[in-house]
Amino acid sequence: MYKRIFGIVLDSIGIGAAPDAEKYGDSGSDTLGHIGESYQGNWALPNLQKLGLGNIRPENQIQGVEPVDTPIGYYGKMTEQSEGKDSMDGHWEMMGLPVKFPLATYPNGFPKALLDKIAAFAGRKVLGFGPYSGTQVIYEHGEEALTAKALIVYTSGDSVMQIAAHEGVVALEELYTICKFARSLLNEAPNLVGRVIARPFFGDNKENFVRTSNRHDFALAPTGTTDLVILNEAGIDVIGIGKINDIFSSQGIIKGYHNNSNADGMDHLDEVMKDDFTGFAFINLVDFDTLYGHRRDPKGMGKELMAFDERLGQVLKAMQPDDLLLITADHGNDPGFKGSDHTREQTPVLMYSPSMKRGGSLGIRDTFADFGETVLDNFGLKSGNGKSFLK
């Protein structure tokens, strides 16, 4: 048994279109592949590469991350079974709870009656929109929101309501309270929504508006028992870093850390690795998604991955023989693809411990739930929702 397992989710780092990508309009999407193409091979992820990232698809190599002869880790890719392609769907499925019921989306914007309820509760004007880029919506409508002390309510292609407000006129706690109220309106069909996201921003005008790190996700509470709860009830420590706490409504998590950035998240991981505990630390690094994927910036996404890879080197050196490292993603968000939404892709999965004698292939996993089942298996537990690849 490994004493500590560290599971890192590289938010949105897909590894090629899923078998059902056409159903989502995402045929041809390939997050890692298109990042590599944008760099024309002048790109390196040496630590991920030696774990086996390039060996996952040797027949369609990722430029700059080619296969190695003797990877030190185990490698493969996972296929999502959930109905959606949002962070909530991906993380819930990883923890044994595939989302098999349809969640509401709003391609034409939210119903007026819903926006009116939010406006009445907040005592503020609401500027309501359909799917929108988060940075573009504050560029185009932030000045009006600032002048009118209003809220900007918008969505994406996923089941989310995003509420943006200027921190200078809507205090954070007020914004969070409004989001909690909106969450209470979105827990039943026909308005069953995966996440309500507080999106505070700051700046003087549209040329310098920036979203702050005070984002907060108010997710639908898990509709069943997750692997995190199974671990917790068995006395196994569960630590959440990043938006893990939000996605699982803190269920099963004994300690959580809020990340201001990917670098901050890795600092938290370094801190946790110094602790003596028996359990699972679950880490989400969201900047790949929010700063680069949605903005369709392959160079920026690639640069952020190289920064992560450098920090990964420190993690590998700090690992104890009875530590296990798992790395995966929750969905794709191809920065070289059309639109600005998540993309339906398979995700990489890498597994490593200093005590391993060799590496090898994990193949193509039928469900993200194999990830959580592997964690459970290590601690002598099971949910039966996936197949462990521990052995």
Side-chain angles (χ1 to χ4, degrees):
M1 182 186 87
Y2 295 102
K3 183 177 180 181
R4 305 186 301 179
I5 299 180
F6 302 95
I8 303 177
V9 180
L10 306 180
D11 199 304
S12 83
I13 304 298
I15 196 164
D20 61 356
E22 184 176 358
K23 171 184 172 183
Y24 296 83
D26 292 335
S27 295
S29 58
D30 183 2
T31 297
L32 277 168
H34 287 148
I35 294 172
E37 287 177 13
S38 76
Y39 276 85
Q40 295 296 304
N42 187 25
W43 183 52
L45 302 172
N47 289 302
L48 286 166
Q49 188 174 25
K50 72 181 182 182
L51 290 179
L53 180 62
N55 294 68
I56 295 174
R57 51 178 230 193
E59 74 293 340
N60 181 19
Q61 294 183 12
I62 302 164
Q63 292 189 42
V65 193
E66 288 77 20
V68 295
D69 291 336
T70 54
I72 64 171
Y74 284 81
Y75 52 87
K77 56 185 176 181
M78 302 194 298
T79 307
E80 187 169 13
Q81 298 301 320
S82 295
E83 289 292 326
K85 52 177 179 175
D86 185 38
S87 289
M88 191 193 83
D89 307 83
H91 284 80
W92 280 20
E93 184 170 332
M94 274 185 241
M95 291 298 108
L97 192 62
V99 181
K100 288 298 189 180
F101 49 88
L103 297 174
T105 56
Y106 300 88
N108 300 311
F110 296 98
K112 184 177 182 298
L114 196 58
L115 297 178
D116 287 346
K117 288 181 181 179
I118 295 171
F121 175 84
R124 293 182 180 277
K125 180 180 180 180
V126 168
L127 309 178
F129 303 98
Y132 229 121
S133 158
T135 52
Q136 192 66 24
V137 79
I138 61 173
Y139 179 80
E140 294 182 12
H141 303 283
E143 290 183 350
E144 181 182 357
L146 177 57
T147 301
K149 298 183 179 181
L151 307 170
I152 303 173
V153 179
Y154 65 103
T155 188
S156 70
D158 299 308
S159 182
V160 297
M161 172 183 282
Q162 310 203 55
I163 304 180
H166 193 283
E167 281 195 15
V169 296
V170 182
L172 280 177
E173 287 308 315
E174 180 186 353
L175 177 58
Y176 295 162
T177 298
I178 294 167
C179 287
K180 289 177 183 177
F181 173 75
R183 172 73 273 167
S184 73
L185 302 176
L186 302 171
N187 292 329
E188 295 180 357
N191 292 311
L192 181 62
V193 171
R195 288 184 295 160
V196 176
I197 307 175
R199 289 289 197 178
F201 66 96
F202 209 77
D204 299 317
N205 58 67
K206 66 180 183 181
E207 300 300 336
N208 61 24
F209 284 146
V210 291
R211 296 195 293 188
T212 75
S213 61
N214 293 316
R215 161 191 173 147
H216 191 85
D217 292 39
F218 299 86
L220 185 70
T223 55
T225 302
T226 69
D227 296 344
L228 299 181
V229 171
I230 294 173
L231 289 165
N232 179 268
E233 291 180 347
I236 305 300
D237 291 341
V238 178
I239 300 165
I241 298 177
K243 64 181 185 180
I244 299 299
N245 255 13
D246 295 345
I247 290 173
F248 291 96
S249 301
S250 299
Q251 293 184 15
I253 299 168
I254 64 166
K255 187 175 184 180
Y257 296 80
H258 170 76
N259 292 346
N260 293 321
S261 64
N262 280 0
D264 188 43
M266 293 304 290
D267 288 344
H268 289 142
L269 174 56
D270 291 343
E271 181 181 338
V272 169
M273 291 189 77
K274 294 175 184 175
D275 292 340
D276 181 20
F277 69 95
T278 298
F280 176 49
F282 201 14
I283 302 100
N284 174 280
L285 301 176
V286 76
D287 286 358
F288 304 112
D289 184 68
T290 59
L291 298 184
Y292 307 108
H294 288 298
R295 300 183 191 185
R296 295 302 189 248
D297 179 3
K299 289 288 182 67
M301 208 169 189
K303 184 177 180 181
E304 190 71 27
L305 271 168
M306 287 190 281
F308 165 76
D309 191 85
E310 185 174 351
R311 293 295 298 267
L312 175 60
Q314 299 175 32
V315 171
L316 297 178
K317 289 178 182 177
M319 289 181 69
Q320 301 298 316
D322 57 354
D323 288 341
L324 181 68
L325 175 66
L326 299 170
I327 300 176
T328 190
D330 51 348
H331 51 72
N333 198 350
D334 184 352
F337 202 62
K338 63 186 180 182
S340 61
D341 291 327
H342 295 155
T343 43
R344 182 75 164 187
E345 298 183 50
Q346 292 176 306
T347 60
V349 59
L350 301 169
M351 179 170 70
Y352 170 74
S353 173
S355 60
M356 288 179 176
K357 304 300 183 186
R358 60 182 175 85
S361 174
L362 299 173
I364 300 175
R365 315 303 301 189
D366 291 335
T367 170
F368 287 7
D370 290 1
F371 186 93
E373 198 69 29
T374 299
V375 177
L376 291 177
D377 186 20
N378 177 73
F379 295 107
L381 304 167
K382 64 179 180 178
S383 73
N385 295 316
K387 295 180 180 178
S388 169
F389 47 77
L390 188 67
K391 290 180 175 58

